Amino acid sequence: MGLTKTYPDGTSPTVAVIGAGLSGLCAAIQLQRQLQLTTYTVYELEAEIGGTWYSNSYPGCQSDAPSHIYSYSFAPNYDFTKKFIKQSEMLAYLRSTAKTFNIYDKIRFKTRIVSMQWHETRRKWILHWAKDELGEEGQDEVDVVIHGAGVLRLPNIPKEYEAFEGEMWHSARWNHTVDISGKRVGVVGMSASGAQIIPAIADQVQSLEVYGRTPYYITPQRNRTYTRIWTLLFRYLPFFYAFYRAFTYYYVDSTFLLYNKLAWHSVFHRAVVYFVTWWHRFRHLPNDPRLRQQLTPQYEIASRRIILSDTFFPTFKKSNVRLHSEPIVSVEGKKIKTRDGVERELDVLVLATGFDWVSNFPPGYLTGRNGIDISTNWGESPTTYYGTTVPLAPNFFLIWGPNSGVAHHALTSMVELQVSYAIRAISYMMKNDLESMEIKQSAAEDFLKLLDRRIERTVFTTTVMPKFLNSMGQCRGFWFGSCTEFWLRTRDLPPELYDVVKREEGRKGQVAASGRMDKKAGDKHYEHLNGDSTVASDEEESVEA
C-alpha cells in the first residue's frame, strides 16, 4: 500500500527537522522523496551541513564502518575511494547528496533551537530559536518535529583540564590555526577519536605523550582501496553493487553477537575476535611485553567499543611517543603529572574525551503535553518507544534517540529505519486526518520491559559501562539486537498503541480556547496562557515551515 501524501483537504503538515547532519538530511530527503512534502524547515546550528562530520575534522578522522553502508541506501556513491573513507570524503558526499535533492534551500543555518513546547489546545509545537551571531531570536509554530541533532555533538571537557595554560582543544573542535609541527603534544584518551589522532600526528610533533588508562580491543582495519575496476562494476552492474552492499550490511550486522554474553550462539564469534585482537597486538609488539601489557584490555571484549586500526600499535614503537597508563593527578601551568610521579611539560593538549550525551536534552529544552518537562520526567530512565517516539510528546520523532543506540553497525542503518518509521507515522496522520498522535505510556513501558529483559543478555550491563546504568542497574541508551531485528520490530506502525486526536476535534478545541483569550489587535507575539503554555493570538498567521 502506498503512502498518503496529503490530508483529505489537500494540505500538508508543517515539519521542523532539527539538525542537518546524517539524521536530519535523511529525514528531509525522505519527506520529499516519499511524501512529496515541501512544508518543512531544517534548523542547523552550524554554518554548513554535516553534523558530526562537519564538527570533527581532526587529523586521521575517518569512518569506522564500511563506506557503502555508511552512505544512504537511496543515494549510493559508486566512487568512494576506500572501504573506510576520510572525513573530507564523507562530508563531500553529504553535501553532494543535499544538493542533488535540493535540501540547501530548506535549511536555516546558524540557528540554535533554544526550546520546544507542545501547545495543548493548538496541537502544535512552538519552537524557540536564536541566531546568536546576529543577536536574533524568534518562535515558529509547526505540526511535527523530527529531532535529528544526534548525540555526538557536545564535547565532554573535564574541568580539571581547564587549568592547562598551553594550547588546548577537544578533538571535535580541532584548532587548525595552530601548527603542531615540532611541538610537545599530549593526547588524553585512546578511544575511537584518540586512536585515529595518535598515529596521524606522531610524525609531525617533537614528542607525543599519550594519556590512556584504559586500552581498547583493536582489530585490523585493512582499508582496501577501490580501483577503477571496482567503481565501474559498482556503477554499471546494479546487481553487483546491490549484492556487495547487502553482503557488507549483513556481515557487519552479524557482529552484534559480540555484545551477547557467553552463549551457544555467540561463543565462536567472540573467541575468533579475542584471538584476532591478541594476534594483532602481538604481531606489532612482539619484543616489548611491557608495552603490550599496557595495551592489553582487562575487561570483557565488546564491553567498550572495538576499534579498527592498522597504525595504532606501530605508533607506540616510535621513539617520540610515550604511553602513560597511570591516572593524571594534577594539571598545573603547562605541566601534567601522573600518579607514578612522571611529569611532562606540553605545548599543546588534545582532549579525546568523548561527548556529553546527557546535555542533549537539558531541563526546559523539550516540554511535552500538560507542560511536562520531558528530560526531568525521564529522570535516570529515558522512556521511549524504540528510541523513536516519546510519551507525552505528540507528533515528535527522535532519530537515534535513547534506547536505539548501536555499537556494531553503521549509524546510517539505524537512522534510515527510524526515519522510515516517522515517515509512515506522518502518512498515517494525513490518511486518517489526525491532528496529533502520541505513543501511549503503556506501550513505551512494555518496550522498556522487553529492553531490560533482552539487554541483560548483553555486555552493556557490565560495570565497565557505568554511565549507561541507572541506580537500579538498568541500562538505558543501547538497542539490544541487530539492525535487522530493529527493522522487523518497527516495520509496521501499530495504531492501537497511539492516542490520536482528529483534526476536527482539534479545531473545536482551538475555538473553545480562543474564547478565553485576551485579544489584542495586531499582536504578533506569543503569550503565556495560565503561566505554563505558549499560544498564538487569533491574528497570528500559522507558520508554514
Side-chain angles (χ1 to χ4, degrees):
M1 184 180 294
L3 295 171
T4 302
K5 300 177 175 60
T6 64
Y7 282 114
D9 61 4
T11 61
S12 299
T14 54
V15 182
V17 178
I18 313 301
L22 202 65
S23 302
L25 285 178
C26 181
I29 292 169
Q30 295 294 52
L31 286 170
Q32 287 189 178
R33 286 185 70 245
Q34 298 195 48
L35 298 180
Q36 282 79 59
L37 192 148
T38 59
T39 53
Y40 72 90
T41 299
V42 182
Y43 298 83
E44 170 55 42
L45 177 64
E46 303 292 350
E48 248 295 355
I49 68 165
T52 297
W53 290 102
Y54 176 79
S55 301
N56 290 265
S57 59
Y58 57 80
C61 183
Q62 64 176 18
S63 67
D64 54 5
S67 54
H68 288 289
I69 61 171
Y70 215 117
S71 56
Y72 300 125
S73 62
F74 53 82
N77 182 6
Y78 308 115
D79 299 319
F80 282 133
T81 58
K82 289 181 176 292
K83 184 177 180 180
F84 300 94
I85 55 175
K86 294 181 178 180
Q87 173 263 350
S88 57
E89 192 169 355
M90 185 64 194
L91 185 58
Y93 164 76
L94 292 175
R95 288 174 174 172
S96 174
T97 303
K99 291 177 182 177
T100 298
F101 290 96
N102 298 315
I103 303 299
Y104 269 94
D105 292 340
K106 308 294 289 186
I107 304 175
R108 294 171 61 177
F109 289 108
K110 296 185 178 181
T111 303
R112 175 172 59 93
I113 298 299
V114 179
S115 65
M116 295 171 283
Q117 297 175 321
W118 173 253
H119 190 279
E120 191 65 32
T121 54
R122 294 181 65 81
R123 306 279 176 185
K124 292 180 184 293
W125 285 98
I126 309 300
L127 272 60
H128 302 256
W129 55 263
K131 288 181 175 287
D132 295 328
E133 286 189 3
L134 301 176
E136 297 178 0
E137 59 182 36
Q139 299 173 124
D140 291 338
E141 182 181 274
V142 297
D143 298 307
V144 177
V145 173
I146 300 179
H147 196 280
V151 295
L152 304 180
R153 62 189 185 93
L154 300 176
N156 175 40
I157 302 178
K159 292 186 179 298
E160 55 263 35
Y161 297 109
E162 295 176 359
F164 185 73
E165 295 179 359
E167 296 284 354
M168 184 184 73
W169 57 77
H170 191 274
S171 59
R173 300 292 185 270
W174 193 273
N175 188 349
H176 292 280
T177 64
V178 176
D179 184 4
I180 62 173
S181 300
K183 294 187 176 180
R184 300 166 298 179
V185 178
V187 175
V188 180
M190 297 192 301
S191 58
S193 299
Q196 293 180 345
I197 293 170
I198 292 165
I201 67 174
D203 291 333
Q204 302 177 40
V205 302
Q206 175 186 324
S207 63
L208 181 59
E209 312 293 334
V210 179
Y211 298 91
R213 290 181 295 170
T214 306
Y216 283 68
Y217 285 97
I218 298 179
T219 64
Q221 186 181 57
R222 296 194 178 94
N223 196 4
R224 175 193 302 120
T225 298
Y226 291 117
T227 64
R228 182 64 175 165
I229 294 177
W230 277 94
T231 57
L232 289 174
L233 289 173
F234 288 151
R235 183 176 295 278
Y236 296 109
L237 292 180
F239 173 78
F240 180 84
Y241 178 79
F243 175 80
Y244 180 84
R245 193 180 192 281
F247 174 83
T248 304
Y249 181 98
Y250 288 109
Y251 170 76
V252 172
D253 207 21
S254 71
T255 61
F256 87 95
L257 293 172
L258 278 174
Y259 298 90
N260 287 346
K261 295 175 182 176
L262 287 178
W264 67 268
H265 56 275
S266 63
V267 170
F268 177 75
H269 206 125
R270 293 170 64 84
V272 168
V273 178
Y274 261 119
F275 175 78
V276 170
T277 57
W278 171 85
W279 174 247
H280 186 50
R281 186 169 54 250
F282 181 83
R283 182 169 64 92
H284 286 293
L285 304 169
N287 302 316
D288 197 334
R290 180 178 178 277
L291 180 58
R292 197 166 61 243
Q293 181 62 31
Q294 283 183 289
L295 293 171
T296 299
Q298 301 301 315
Y299 55 83
E300 189 176 4
I301 195 167
S303 296
R304 293 178 183 267
R305 190 173 185 175
I306 295 177
I307 296 171
L308 284 71
S309 177
D310 296 323
T311 57
F312 182 77
F313 290 132
T315 300
F316 288 92
K317 294 191 293 184
K318 298 179 184 293
S319 60
N320 67 328
V321 179
R322 286 179 289 269
L323 173 62
H324 303 273
S325 299
E326 293 293 323
I328 294 173
V329 294
S330 68
V331 179
E332 297 179 0
K334 292 186 176 183
K335 295 181 179 179
I336 291 185
K337 186 178 181 179
T338 52
R339 189 171 59 185
D340 55 2
V342 176
E343 188 175 75
R344 292 282 186 258
E345 186 169 351
L346 305 172
D347 301 309
V348 177
L349 184 62
V350 177
L351 302 179
T353 48
F355 297 86
D356 182 359
W357 292 37
V358 177
S359 296
N360 282 283
F361 286 91
Y365 177 69
L366 178 61
T367 303
R369 189 165 53 80
N370 298 327
I372 299 296
D373 186 292
I374 297 298
S375 62
T376 302
N377 188 59
W378 278 348
E380 291 184 311
S381 300
T383 304
T384 67
Y385 180 75
Y386 288 92
T388 309
T389 54
V390 181
L392 301 174
N395 301 358
F396 184 84
F397 301 95
L398 278 170
I399 309 302
W400 215 39
N403 310 322
S404 66
V406 288
H408 74 285
H409 213 287
L411 170 61
T412 318
S413 301
M414 188 62 79
V415 165
E416 287 200 42
L417 292 174
Q418 292 184 291
V419 167
S420 178
Y421 189 90
I423 293 296
R424 293 197 302 276
I426 295 172
S427 176
Y428 180 83
M429 287 176 61
M430 292 189 288
K431 178 181 179 181
N432 293 277
D433 203 24
L434 302 180
E435 191 141 54
S436 69
M437 59 186 298
E438 171 196 344
I439 192 69
K440 294 179 179 179
Q441 183 73 27
S442 58
E445 290 175 355
D446 287 344
F447 165 69
L448 290 181
K449 290 177 183 177
L450 171 67
L451 178 77
D452 292 338
R453 187 168 63 251
R454 287 286 301 276
I455 214 161
E456 275 296 323
R457 308 176 192 174
T458 72
V459 296
F460 296 133
T461 55
T462 67
T463 56
V464 181
M465 307 185 78
K467 68 179 179 179
F468 299 109
L469 302 178
N470 60 26
S471 58
M472 295 179 289
Q474 298 168 320
C475 183
R476 291 289 185 265
F478 287 103
W479 168 244
F480 53 72
S482 65
C483 287
T484 303
E485 182 177 359
F486 190 91
W487 169 73
L488 289 171
R489 289 181 175 274
T490 60
R491 58 180 174 173
D492 295 322
L493 191 147
E496 68 276 7
L497 300 185
Y498 285 85
D499 288 323
V500 301
V501 175
K502 286 275 191 179
R503 294 177 81 197
E504 184 177 343
E505 296 173 16
R507 282 191 289 270
K508 291 179 180 178
Q510 289 181 33
V511 171
S514 66
R516 298 191 300 269
M517 293 171 56
D518 293 330
K519 301 178 181 179
K520 294 183 180 180
D523 184 7
K524 293 291 183 178
H525 300 283
Y526 293 100
E527 299 177 344
H528 288 283
L529 181 64
N530 297 327
D532 60 358
S533 61
T534 308
V535 299
S537 68
D538 287 347
E539 295 189 16
E540 175 67 25
E541 298 176 356
S542 62
V543 177
E544 186 172 290

